[in-house]
Amino acid sequence: MKKYLLYLLLLVSQSMFAQTYQPNWKSIDSRPIPEWYKDAKFGIFIHWGVYSVPAWAPKGQYAEWYQENLQSNGFKGQAVAYHNKKYGADFSYYQFAPLFKADLFDPEAWAKLFEQSGAKYIVLTSKHHDGFALWPSKQASESRGFAWNAVDVGPKRDLLGDLFKAVRKTSVHPGIYYSLYEWYNPLWLNNKQLYVQKHMIPQIKDVIDTYKPDVFWTDGEWEQPDTLWHSTEILSWMFNDSKVKDKIVVNDRWGKDTRYKHGGFYSPEYQPNMDFKNHYFEESRGMGFSYGYNRMEDAWDYNSAKVLILHLLDKVSRGGNFLLDIGPDADGKIPPIMQERLLEIGQWLKINGEAIYGTTKYKNTIQWGPGKRDYQPKSEDNGDHVGGDIMLKLTEDPDPGYAIKEVFFTQKGNTVFAIVPVWPANHKVLLRDMNLKGKKVSLLETGEVLPYIVTGGNSEVKFPEFIPGKIKTRYSYVIKIE
């Protein structure tokens, strides 16, 4: 009997501490990234809110920062000049809320598009830095003293809830972006600690327990340390007691001292040259430059599907995810050029997804050609943000003397995938330091066995003739090695 009681006591103590995360970074950082997210590889970011009404910024800037640039005289006065001409000097940013109608928003159509794109998760801006909430958040309106959420003003609709309902009918995981701070929230401006305790923490718990997101993507952390945000306390609650404690995924934006150090996955944006060795990461970028819809951007400002697929390959081969942003307009329509890009990516993934989903890093992530590997692209905004066309420079159109990434590699079990960015002109691909002797080598799309020759530890794989009616893939071709 005594032994039995001791055994029960041991079981109870184990259950109490086995999955308990303490409110400190050592404990929080010990939580593994949920496997579903690491298998997913491709997600869609959605920036949508009151800023989608003016939908304006100079090219190379973020349109979702309209309020901040209006009130701080950003873009060297261009925002104020545009606003005064278009709306009048007496028209405040808050007057855009009733104009944010979202009357053409069709969540079922959105969800269908996301699934057809091949994305496995989405991240919707539940609240950006302007504080406008896409769900009936009482904190959003209470802290200002007027209606400032999508149910009380504008759409008069729970945009977040309606989209999550539609997405949950598909294979796509629903996720949330949440800005920790708000530019002009009176509580934030007057008492930051009170803002965190009275506004932010209750709002986070409300949106997580009500909508149960699989991703919680924080931002706006950079002005204050994690201690002001009470980040470790929030995360320990999230991982121990929330309704999504076992599956929720978070990023690293939890304080000005946590980026690329603590949290969940690391989150570079427009920074394709950053590498994180063995820590999981996710790079995000827009199709153009702005995350929110920017009416100033033209067709040539949008990356092609080819370039976006190359970004996906680059991230996945290096052991990360790719989060591609779209910016719907104020009516709730996803611009056709964005829809087209998503559908093209989806077509590629439908054929070649085996080389992407559920894969891990191969020992050689990339095969470089001859030349220098330190190409420094021009910034899009005179800062750290690099334009999408860097992938063309790194694969098929290098500057003189610079190397290209000839092959991207991924792995799934004992199968290795060698992904070639362009169809080889001479129908031959040299895989250096790969002895394929005894391996089955095929073209993933068609299943056609590819002959090869092994010479001194290298293997030369021969491609077939390119027949357009037979080869549907338009960009990047996958060699499957079993």
Side-chain angles (χ1 to χ4, degrees), residues 233-254:
E233 291 92 335
I234 294 169
L235 288 165
S236 63
W237 166 80
M238 203 181 299
F239 298 159
N240 294 325
D241 303 314
S242 77
K243 296 178 181 179
V244 285
K245 61 182 181 179
D246 296 324
K247 64 178 180 178
I248 196 165
V249 181
V250 301
N251 64 357
D252 57 346
R253 302 187 185 197
W254 290 96

CSV table of all heavy atoms in Angstrom, one decimal, residues 233-254:
chain,number,residue,atom,x,y,z
A,233,GLU,N,5.4,36.2,-18.6
A,233,GLU,CA,4.2,35.9,-17.9
A,233,GLU,C,3.1,35.5,-18.9
A,233,GLU,O,2.3,34.6,-18.7
A,233,GLU,CB,3.7,37.0,-17.0
A,233,GLU,CG,4.6,37.2,-15.8
A,233,GLU,CD,5.7,38.3,-16.1
A,233,GLU,OE1,6.1,38.5,-17.3
A,233,GLU,OE2,6.2,38.9,-15.1
A,234,ILE,N,3.0,36.3,-20.0
A,234,ILE,CA,1.9,36.1,-21.0
A,234,ILE,C,2.2,34.7,-21.7
A,234,ILE,O,1.3,33.9,-21.9
A,234,ILE,CB,1.9,37.2,-22.0
A,234,ILE,CG1,1.5,38.5,-21.4
A,234,ILE,CG2,1.0,36.8,-23.2
A,234,ILE,CD1,1.7,39.7,-22.3
A,235,LEU,N,3.5,34.5,-22.0
A,235,LEU,CA,3.8,33.2,-22.7
A,235,LEU,C,3.6,32.0,-21.8
A,235,LEU,O,3.2,31.0,-22.3
A,235,LEU,CB,5.2,33.3,-23.3
A,235,LEU,CG,5.4,34.3,-24.5
A,235,LEU,CD1,6.9,34.6,-24.7
A,235,LEU,CD2,4.8,33.7,-25.7
A,236,SER,N,4.0,32.1,-20.6
A,236,SER,CA,3.7,31.0,-19.7
A,236,SER,C,2.3,30.7,-19.5
A,236,SER,O,1.8,29.5,-19.5
A,236,SER,CB,4.4,31.2,-18.3
A,236,SER,OG,3.8,32.3,-17.6
A,237,TRP,N,1.4,31.7,-19.5
A,237,TRP,CA,0.0,31.5,-19.5
A,237,TRP,C,-0.5,30.8,-20.8
A,237,TRP,O,-1.2,29.9,-20.8
A,237,TRP,CB,-0.8,32.8,-19.3
A,237,TRP,CG,-2.2,32.7,-19.7
A,237,TRP,CD1,-3.2,32.2,-18.9
A,237,TRP,CD2,-2.8,33.0,-20.9
A,237,TRP,NE1,-4.4,32.2,-19.6
A,237,TRP,CE2,-4.2,32.7,-20.8
A,237,TRP,CE3,-2.4,33.5,-22.1
A,237,TRP,CZ2,-5.1,32.8,-21.9
A,237,TRP,CZ3,-3.3,33.7,-23.2
A,237,TRP,CH2,-4.6,33.4,-23.1
A,238,MET,N,0.1,31.3,-21.9
A,238,MET,CA,-0.3,30.8,-23.2
A,238,MET,C,0.0,29.3,-23.3
A,238,MET,O,-0.7,28.5,-23.9
A,238,MET,CB,0.4,31.6,-24.3
A,238,MET,CG,-0.3,31.6,-25.6
A,238,MET,SD,0.7,32.6,-26.9
A,238,MET,CE,0.6,34.2,-26.1
A,239,PHE,N,1.2,28.9,-22.9
A,239,PHE,CA,1.7,27.6,-23.0
A,239,PHE,C,1.2,26.6,-21.9
A,239,PHE,O,1.2,25.4,-22.1
A,239,PHE,CB,3.2,27.5,-23.0
A,239,PHE,CG,3.9,28.3,-24.1
A,239,PHE,CD1,5.2,28.8,-24.0
A,239,PHE,CD2,3.2,28.6,-25.3
A,239,PHE,CE1,5.8,29.5,-25.0
A,239,PHE,CE2,3.8,29.3,-26.3
A,239,PHE,CZ,5.1,29.8,-26.2
A,240,ASN,N,0.7,27.1,-20.8
A,240,ASN,CA,0.2,26.3,-19.7
A,240,ASN,C,-1.3,26.2,-19.6
A,240,ASN,O,-1.8,25.2,-19.3
A,240,ASN,CB,0.8,26.8,-18.4
A,240,ASN,CG,2.3,26.6,-18.3
A,240,ASN,OD1,2.9,25.7,-18.8
A,240,ASN,ND2,2.9,27.6,-17.6
A,241,ASP,N,-1.9,27.4,-19.8
A,241,ASP,CA,-3.3,27.5,-19.4
A,241,ASP,C,-4.3,27.9,-20.5
A,241,ASP,O,-5.5,27.8,-20.3
A,241,ASP,CB,-3.5,28.5,-18.3
A,241,ASP,CG,-2.6,28.1,-17.1
A,241,ASP,OD1,-2.7,26.9,-16.7
A,241,ASP,OD2,-2.0,29.0,-16.5
A,242,SER,N,-3.8,28.4,-21.6
A,242,SER,CA,-4.7,28.8,-22.7
A,242,SER,C,-5.4,27.6,-23.4
A,242,SER,O,-4.9,26.5,-23.2
A,242,SER,CB,-4.0,29.7,-23.7
A,242,SER,OG,-3.2,28.9,-24.6
A,243,LYS,N,-6.4,27.9,-24.2
A,243,LYS,CA,-7.1,26.8,-24.9
A,243,LYS,C,-6.3,26.3,-26.0
A,243,LYS,O,-6.8,25.3,-26.7
A,243,LYS,CB,-8.5,27.4,-25.3
A,243,LYS,CG,-9.4,27.7,-24.2
A,243,LYS,CD,-10.7,28.3,-24.6
A,243,LYS,CE,-11.6,28.7,-23.5
A,243,LYS,NZ,-12.9,29.3,-23.9
A,244,VAL,N,-5.2,26.9,-26.4
A,244,VAL,CA,-4.4,26.4,-27.5
A,244,VAL,C,-3.0,26.2,-27.1
A,244,VAL,O,-2.0,26.2,-27.9
A,244,VAL,CB,-4.4,27.5,-28.7
A,244,VAL,CG1,-5.7,27.5,-29.4
A,244,VAL,CG2,-4.1,28.9,-28.1
A,245,LYS,N,-2.8,25.8,-25.8
A,245,LYS,CA,-1.5,25.7,-25.2
A,245,LYS,C,-0.6,24.7,-25.9
A,245,LYS,O,0.6,24.8,-25.9
A,245,LYS,CB,-1.6,25.3,-23.7
A,245,LYS,CG,-2.3,24.0,-23.5
A,245,LYS,CD,-2.4,23.7,-22.0
A,245,LYS,CE,-3.1,22.3,-21.7
A,245,LYS,NZ,-3.2,22.1,-20.3
A,246,ASP,N,-1.1,23.6,-26.5
A,246,ASP,CA,-0.3,22.6,-27.1
A,246,ASP,C,0.1,22.8,-28.5
A,246,ASP,O,1.1,22.3,-29.0
A,246,ASP,CB,-1.0,21.2,-27.0
A,246,ASP,CG,-1.2,20.8,-25.6
A,246,ASP,OD1,-0.3,21.1,-24.7
A,246,ASP,OD2,-2.3,20.2,-25.3
A,247,LYS,N,-0.7,23.7,-29.2
A,247,LYS,CA,-0.4,23.8,-30.7
A,247,LYS,C,0.0,25.2,-31.1
A,247,LYS,O,0.4,25.4,-32.3
A,247,LYS,CB,-1.7,23.4,-31.5
A,247,LYS,CG,-2.9,24.2,-31.3
A,247,LYS,CD,-4.1,23.7,-32.1
A,247,LYS,CE,-5.3,24.5,-31.9
A,247,LYS,NZ,-6.4,24.1,-32.8
A,248,ILE,N,-0.2,26.2,-30.2
A,248,ILE,CA,0.0,27.6,-30.7
A,248,ILE,C,1.5,27.8,-30.9
A,248,ILE,O,2.4,27.3,-30.3
A,248,ILE,CB,-0.5,28.6,-29.6
A,248,ILE,CG1,-0.6,30.0,-30.3
A,248,ILE,CG2,0.3,28.6,-28.4
A,248,ILE,CD1,-1.4,31.0,-29.4
A,249,VAL,N,1.8,28.6,-32.0
A,249,VAL,CA,3.1,29.0,-32.4
A,249,VAL,C,3.3,30.5,-32.2
A,249,VAL,O,2.4,31.3,-32.5
A,249,VAL,CB,3.4,28.6,-33.8
A,249,VAL,CG1,4.8,28.9,-34.3
A,249,VAL,CG2,3.1,27.1,-34.1
A,250,VAL,N,4.5,30.9,-31.7
A,250,VAL,CA,4.7,32.3,-31.5
A,250,VAL,C,6.1,32.7,-32.1
A,250,VAL,O,6.9,31.8,-32.4
A,250,VAL,CB,4.7,32.7,-30.0
A,250,VAL,CG1,3.4,32.4,-29.3
A,250,VAL,CG2,5.9,32.0,-29.2
A,251,ASN,N,6.3,34.0,-32.3
A,251,ASN,CA,7.5,34.5,-32.9
A,251,ASN,C,8.4,35.0,-31.8
A,251,ASN,O,8.3,34.7,-30.6
A,251,ASN,CB,7.3,35.5,-34.0
A,251,ASN,CG,6.6,36.7,-33.5
A,251,ASN,OD1,6.3,36.9,-32.3
A,251,ASN,ND2,6.4,37.7,-34.4
A,252,ASP,N,9.4,35.9,-32.1
A,252,ASP,CA,10.4,36.4,-31.2
A,252,ASP,C,10.2,37.8,-30.9
A,252,ASP,O,11.1,38.4,-30.2
A,252,ASP,CB,11.8,36.2,-31.8
A,252,ASP,CG,11.9,36.8,-33.2
A,252,ASP,OD1,10.9,37.2,-33.8
A,252,ASP,OD2,13.1,36.9,-33.7
A,253,ARG,N,9.1,38.5,-31.2
A,253,ARG,CA,9.0,39.9,-31.0
A,253,ARG,C,8.2,40.2,-29.7
A,253,ARG,O,7.0,40.5,-29.7
A,253,ARG,CB,8.2,40.5,-32.2
A,253,ARG,CG,9.0,40.3,-33.5
A,253,ARG,CD,8.3,41.0,-34.7
A,253,ARG,NE,9.0,40.7,-36.0
A,253,ARG,CZ,8.9,41.4,-37.1
A,253,ARG,NH1,8.1,42.5,-37.1
A,253,ARG,NH2,9.5,41.0,-38.2
A,254,TRP,N,9.0,40.1,-28.6
A,254,TRP,CA,8.4,40.2,-27.3
A,254,TRP,C,9.1,41.3,-26.5
A,254,TRP,O,8.8,41.3,-25.3
A,254,TRP,CB,8.4,38.8,-26.6
A,254,TRP,CG,7.4,37.9,-27.2
A,254,TRP,CD1,7.7,36.9,-28.2
A,254,TRP,CD2,6.0,37.8,-27.0
A,254,TRP,NE1,6.6,36.2,-28.5
A,254,TRP,CE2,5.5,36.7,-27.8
A,254,TRP,CE3,5.1,38.5,-26.2
A,254,TRP,CZ2,4.2,36.4,-27.8
A,254,TRP,CZ3,3.8,38.1,-26.2
A,254,TRP,CH2,3.3,37.1,-27.0
